[in-house]
Amino acid sequence: KMSIKHLVALFCFLIVTIVAGQKIPVIIDTDVGTDMDDSWAIAWLIQHPEVDVKLILTATHDTPARTKIVAKYLTLVGRTDIPIGQGFHQDNATGNATGALFGWAADFDMSTYQGTFHEDGIQALIDAVHRWNGITILEIAPAPNLQIALKKDPSIASKAHIKSMGGSIRIGYNGKPPASPEYNIHDDIPAASEIPCQVSSDVHERRNDFSTVSNIILVKLKYFCRCKLK
């Protein structure tokens, strides 16, 4: 993963959904902890005046450990008003799969979290979509949570705006050809392959790589590598 990509993706996602004077209801599906990029993304989103984060859902591998990272962070910054959902725990993974931040949050006791904690985070996502029709799901992680949610309740596909960061068709991580095995797809190819979506593309790059659902958009690597943080 690249430390820049999620911030650029989030900007692209939000720029097409912002309505002047209105807050955007958002669910963040995140594999926070593996790198710092998702931590930056969460920090930016929860303080943005035009974003209303309704749920932070943890994704991939050791989701209980990732949940502790989110809970400790929200506690420290005084945002325990934001509900947390624990996503699908893959492969009996342990904290080693969450990256360096696991050690920082390993001592956090989830029973002390002052906000709402949903052990079944996938059902919490489904419930949030039905409660806030038109909510935006920012998929900045591999997609097992979304895969399971869509199988459990296919109707959410038409009720939410799903913006998924992932994929590489012609441009790789260095901003040049060839394509790279982009992390959010490569980490769980079966999950990604089951998400029907419209691939972001310019007029000269239209391809039938995925079946299309107009409100499920996959923004690919080409667009993340055009900007750099300095």
Side-chain angles (χ1 to χ4, degrees):
K1 299 173 82 175
M2 294 179 63
S3 58
I4 172 60
K5 63 180 183 177
H6 286 164
L7 293 179
V8 178
L10 286 165
F11 175 80
C12 295
F13 295 159
L14 290 169
I15 206 71
V16 298
T17 54
I18 284 177
V19 179
Q22 297 183 15
K23 282 195 169 187
I24 310 162
V26 165
I27 296 169
I28 307 170
D29 191 22
T30 172
D31 58 343
V32 64
T34 299
D35 285 319
M36 282 301 296
D37 46 4
D38 284 31
S39 298
W40 293 347
I42 292 168
W44 182 72
L45 283 165
I46 66 174
Q47 59 79 44
H48 197 288
E50 293 178 307
V51 175
D52 184 6
V53 179
K54 299 296 188 182
L55 176 70
I56 299 178
L57 178 63
T58 55
T60 75
H61 305 295
D62 190 352
T63 51
R66 298 191 193 281
T67 300
K68 288 186 174 186
I69 293 170
V70 175
K72 184 171 183 177
Y73 176 68
L74 293 180
T75 298
L76 287 173
V77 299
R79 289 303 311 270
T80 56
D81 57 298
I82 299 174
I84 300 172
Q86 183 173 294
F88 177 57
H89 189 180
Q90 287 178 300
D91 307 325
N92 296 314
T94 61
N96 290 332
T98 69
L101 281 178
F102 175 71
W104 172 75
D107 62 348
F108 189 86
D109 183 353
M110 285 301 300
S111 68
T112 68
Y113 184 64
Q114 297 298 305
T116 301
F117 167 55
H118 300 281
E119 190 169 358
D120 185 349
I122 293 171
Q123 185 60 51
L125 179 148
I126 293 169
D127 293 343
V129 170
H130 287 294
R131 182 175 179 183
W132 292 285
N133 192 35
I135 196 169
T136 295
I137 300 174
L138 296 180
E139 181 67 61
I140 58 173
N145 288 337
L146 191 55
Q147 176 196 31
I148 295 167
L150 287 168
K151 283 183 176 180
K152 191 172 183 180
D153 186 349
S155 73
I156 65 172
S158 63
K159 294 183 176 182
H161 300 286
I162 303 172
K163 313 289 177 72
S164 179
M165 198 289 312
S168 173
I169 294 177
R170 294 187 177 91
I171 303 299
Y173 274 118
N174 62 358
K176 301 176 182 178
S180 300
E182 192 279 323
Y183 179 83
N184 285 350
I185 302 297
H186 190 262
D187 187 67
D188 196 333
I189 293 172
S193 67
E194 292 186 23
I195 309 301
C197 60
Q198 175 178 318
V199 180
S200 63
S201 58
D202 50 45
V203 70
H204 301 297
E205 228 182 80
R206 300 203 177 275
R207 298 179 46 159
N208 293 320
D209 293 279
F210 297 82
S211 58
T212 61
V213 176
S214 61
N215 61 324
I216 304 180
I217 298 176
L218 180 71
V219 183
K220 59 186 185 290
L221 195 60
K222 168 183 175 179
Y223 298 99
F224 310 141
C225 294
R226 288 182 172 177
C227 303
K228 294 184 181 295
L229 290 179
K230 294 185 178 179

